[in-house]
Amino acid sequence: MILRGKVWKFGDNISTDLIAPGRYFHLRSDLNELAKHVLEDADAEFAKKAGKGDFVVGGRNFGLGSSREHAPTIIKIAGISCVIAKSFARIFFRNAINIGLPVIECDTDKLAAGDELEIDLEKGVIKDLTSKVQLKFAPLPKAMTQILSDGGLVEHIKKHGDFKIE
Amino acid sequence: MGKTISEKILSEHSGRDLKADDFAIVKVDLCLLQDGTGPLAVRQLEQLGIKEVVNPQGIAVFLDHAAPSPRKELSNDHITLRNFARRTGCYLFDIGEGVCHQVMSEMFTSPGDVLVGADSHTCTGGALGAFATGMGSTDIAVAMGLGKTWFRVPRTIKVVVNGKFRPGVFAKDFMLFLIGTLGAEGATYKAIEFTGEAMESLPMPERLVISNMAVEAGAKAGIFASDKMTKAYLKLHGREDKYKELRSDKDAKYDKEIDIEVDKLVPMVSMPHTVDNTKPVEKAGKVKAHQVFIGSCTNGRIEDLRVVADIWKGKKRDTDTRVIVTPASKDVYLLAAKEGLIETFVEFGATVTTPGCGACVGVHGGILGDGENCIATSNRNFLGRMGNPKGYIYLVSPATAAASAIKGELADPREYF
Ligand code: SF4
């Protein structure tokens, strides 16, 4: 799959409290409404301006903290096609796969805010069309690719009636 | 080759001989849901088209994060969860019964169990020798519906702790120190196993503090071998029949080993806005305490409240510091009342709130004002955590929090010991 969009750049340690703030706890059963506040405390403009297919690009330990799956879910609802970071917190990473949001681990220093990217998920290549930089990333473990390619864990289980991962 | 505790538990629950890095489908004994993540898990189960859960006796639903509910939306989420519990026959812990991890430890979690929870601090159960870890709502929906989940078997970091805690220094200080050393992602994807004489002599309540915060170093699990302390705790809660001997083999393979002497350990604080931003309290400088919060799944147990009451007895809070105490469970609350601790708290000038998460997650019961500091015994100080991105959270032990409430600023508690 080829993804294309613009970079929204964030720093290290973007917690799930920053992605889906506790003060909007009451909106957790209204995800479209909650998505209007996604990453609000890290970048107040993000939710308003992010375009369909754009990328969230973070630093180290993206998504640390609470297990709230609402965090990757509202990033996806906001139209983001993929999250790229130097490293991810475990639960966020797993949740993203489960809800069908691709996640890529690679060095993000060379990706600047506003850059246009083209990403080939299968080949593991990020092309920065603005800076002409090309980056490679390791593919996901097979178990995760299987879930992701079915569109997330719910679809995976519905399709196979059980876990079908190696 | 020998096995770590995680490898043993996961092998037993998958029927395969597993070692670190293997992927496996694993049978789940216990599932936990709370009111922040549970409604989504219930909806995902509906999406899956699954009507029944495999093992209702192994599922516990907690209304603890918004208890009592401060908003109609959350009250409606509570209705969803109450209906779910009623329909499926699983356990429901309604408002006032306590924080999920405390109640799980008291009533359910046993050595050798696989416990998965839609809450990141589910790793608390590792103190009891369970493989316990946090996941998202969809994972828990599937675990409830199929009775199993998938895991990559974690590598294990062995933390060997020797020496003796000095007066005024607690498991919380140790854990803040360790997280500061490892960093917030120092144990990502890994299990941490705690061993050594200082851990073996730690009673269960202190072990629960340590396992609870393992996730703050990124860990999947924070595990203790079961021993006489485990047995004593299970007995205290009428579950001694659940005891099972469980420890890593001598020739188990570890990812790395870290040795720590606690003799020199001093009271620690996590400065805003990351948990690994730790310092000795004595080197933290002047921090005004606008609010002190004593509670949460980390430090709202009876042992914590006793330490606090000992320090507060006969004293008054600083007039500029508001103080909130939230017992972790109904049993803790009752015991605190029986022992006269609640009286001490109220006379000191503290507010005692409903057992549950209280002010920890910024939904209600102690939201910070702009520019305000909270000295808290909870486990996270992320920007915005307590309901206001303009607030500052300092994480400490109950003793340090108690001393700070008297002084009106972050204070070293050792003068009270
Ligand atoms: S007390 Fe705080 S950390 Fe513990 S479960 Fe509740 S919100 Fe989470």
Side-chain angles (χ1 to χ4, degrees):
Chain A
M1 197 175 18
I2 309 285
L3 307 172
R4 234 182 135 145
K6 209 171 76 168
V7 170
W8 288 85
K9 190 93 191 243
F10 297 88
D12 292 338
N13 293 315
I14 296 297
S15 72
T16 54
D17 280 286
L18 281 175
I19 302 168
R23 65 179 181 282
Y24 300 119
F25 205 88
H26 59 285
L27 296 177
R28 286 186 182 191
S29 286
D30 187 351
L31 291 168
N32 290 322
E33 203 50 39
L34 187 60
K36 291 183 185 158
H37 302 283
V38 61
L39 280 157
E40 182 174 285
D41 292 339
D43 179 347
E45 296 297 298
F46 172 75
K48 280 180 225 122
K49 297 197 176 151
K52 199 153 175 46
D54 282 356
F55 305 108
V56 162
V57 178
R60 299 207 65 85
N61 209 14
F62 191 94
L64 77 158
S66 146
S67 70
R68 61 192 78 155
E69 190 174 298
H70 315 71
T73 307
I74 59 176
I75 290 178
K76 193 177 172 195
I77 291 174
I80 297 302
S81 62
C82 175
V83 182
I84 312 163
K86 288 183 190 166
S87 62
F88 288 89
R90 182 189 73 83
I91 303 177
F92 181 91
F93 194 81
R94 188 171 168 127
N95 282 346
I97 304 288
N98 280 346
I99 60 137
L101 174 68
V103 272
I104 295 174
E105 237 175 26
C106 79
D107 185 0
T108 53
D109 279 345
K110 295 212 173 84
L111 304 175
D115 283 5
E116 280 291 328
L117 306 185
E118 192 179 280
I119 301 180
D120 186 328
L121 283 177
E122 279 80 37
K123 291 210 181 103
V125 179
I126 300 177
K127 276 191 207 148
D128 189 325
L129 306 175
T130 311
S131 70
K132 310 285 179 239
V133 169
Q134 185 157 323
L135 299 169
K136 284 202 154 51
F137 59 89
L140 292 166
K142 195 148 178 230
M144 294 185 160
T145 326
Q146 285 164 319
I147 293 170
L148 198 55
S149 63
D150 285 335
L153 188 58
V154 168
E155 296 308 317
H156 176 83
I157 301 285
K158 271 166 93 170
K159 185 167 156 193
H160 306 285
D162 200 343
F163 284 104
K164 190 141 180 47
I165 61 179
E166 287 146 34
Chain B
M1 198 180 57
K3 284 186 160 43
T4 62
I5 300 176
S6 304
E7 289 167 337
K8 284 187 185 182
I9 298 176
L10 295 177
S11 293
E12 202 211 301
H13 283 73
S14 71
R16 285 172 52 201
D17 187 27
L18 298 173
K19 55 181 190 330
D21 296 338
D22 287 344
F23 279 85
I25 307 296
V26 169
K27 181 178 154 289
V28 167
D29 301 303
L30 296 167
C31 291
L32 162 180
L33 298 86
Q34 37 93 334
D35 48 350
T37 56
L40 182 55
V42 170
R43 290 196 295 273
Q44 293 296 68
L45 201 61
E46 277 164 20
Q47 283 290 314
L48 281 160
I50 299 177
K51 300 228 157 47
E52 312 251 306
V53 296
V54 170
N55 175 23
Q57 294 303 299
I59 301 172
V61 178
F62 295 88
L63 310 187
D64 53 356
H65 283 57
S69 164
R71 320 227 358 170
K72 68 176 190 306
E73 295 88 343
L74 295 169
S75 310
N76 291 337
D77 282 345
H78 285 175
I79 293 175
T80 302
L81 290 178
R82 288 193 191 99
N83 287 343
F84 173 75
R86 209 169 291 137
R87 185 168 60 71
T88 57
C90 64
Y91 290 97
L92 174 74
F93 294 88
D94 216 306
I95 284 153
E97 304 210 52
V99 191
C100 47
H101 309 302
Q102 177 62 16
V103 176
M104 283 309 287
S105 306
E106 291 172 2
M107 297 183 61
F108 294 98
T109 318
S110 309
D113 282 351
V114 170
L115 157 62
V116 295
D119 190 283
S120 58
H121 293 103
T122 303
C123 52
T124 309
L128 283 144
F131 188 85
T133 195
M135 294 181 172
S137 302
T138 302
D139 268 320
I140 298 308
V142 171
M144 292 192 295
L146 301 183
K148 54 193 174 183
T149 189
W150 70 270
F151 277 119
R152 172 156 68 180
V153 181
R155 300 178 186 194
T156 298
I157 299 175
K158 184 179 188 178
V159 177
V160 185
V161 195
N162 283 309
K164 250 201 159 93
F165 283 91
R166 290 196 303 193
V169 183
F170 296 85
K172 180 65 163 286
D173 300 301
F174 161 74
M175 206 45 195
L176 295 183
F177 174 81
L178 180 69
I179 293 161
T181 309
L182 282 171
E185 54 172 347
T188 299
Y189 299 116
K190 297 184 180 142
I192 308 177
E193 201 176 305
F194 297 94
T195 158
E197 65 185 25
M199 296 291 107
E200 280 153 25
S201 57
L202 268 192
M204 190 53 65
E206 291 280 275
R207 291 184 186 180
L208 289 163
V209 175
I210 291 173
S211 292
N212 174 272
M213 290 196 75
V215 68
E216 306 310 331
K220 188 183 246 177
I223 304 186
F224 283 77
S226 62
D227 61 9
K228 60 178 194 298
M229 296 295 183
T230 322
K231 205 183 256 174
Y233 185 83
L234 289 170
K235 182 153 186 233
L236 185 68
H237 295 283
R239 302 198 288 123
E240 63 247 72
D241 57 314
K242 296 285 181 187
Y243 181 76
K244 174 159 134 189
E245 190 91 13
L246 194 63
R247 55 183 57 252
S248 288
D249 293 328
K250 284 216 168 59
D251 56 343
K253 192 163 161 260
Y254 291 95
D255 197 52
K256 66 173 170 184
E257 184 174 320
I258 298 173
D259 293 278
I260 295 177
E261 293 288 328
V262 286
D263 291 304
K264 289 188 218 85
L265 198 67
V266 295
M268 299 292 293
V269 53
S270 283
M271 315 283 285
H273 296 287
T274 55
V275 185
D276 60 357
N277 186 14
T278 58
K279 269 195 183 135
V281 171
E282 57 195 355
K283 293 199 177 128
K286 191 173 160 67
V287 178
K288 189 169 168 45
H290 300 95
Q291 175 169 300
V292 167
F293 169 54
I294 290 166
S296 85
C297 55
T298 316
N299 276 126
R301 282 175 266 281
I302 189 68
E303 294 76 10
D304 302 318
L305 301 190
R306 285 179 191 140
V307 168
V308 170
D310 276 346
I311 296 176
W312 284 354
K313 189 106 200 141
K315 299 189 181 66
K316 294 272 183 244
R317 68 178 168 90
D318 183 271
T319 45
D320 286 341
T321 303
R322 52 186 190 273
V323 183
I324 300 163
V325 179
T326 306
S329 73
K330 186 173 82 183
D331 283 358
V332 171
Y333 198 2
L334 281 170
L335 213 51
K338 247 181 236 156
E339 294 180 13
L341 312 184
I342 303 295
E343 198 179 321
T344 304
F345 298 159
V346 176
E347 277 176 355
F348 178 75
T351 302
V352 181
T353 74
T354 315
C357 300
C360 177
V361 70
V363 179
H364 59 8
I367 292 168
L368 297 178
D370 292 353
E372 286 193 323
N373 301 325
C374 183
I375 314 291
T377 67
S378 42
N379 49 35
R380 279 194 182 131
N381 58 352
F382 302 152
L383 186 86
R385 174 74 182 180
M386 289 179 91
N388 184 350
K390 292 185 179 138
Y392 299 83
I393 306 163
Y394 295 77
L395 305 176
V396 297
S397 75
T400 302
S404 306
I406 296 171
K407 308 267 180 174
E409 60 184 46
L410 179 65
D412 194 314
R414 283 176 292 178
E415 69 175 89
Y416 300 100
F417 288 86

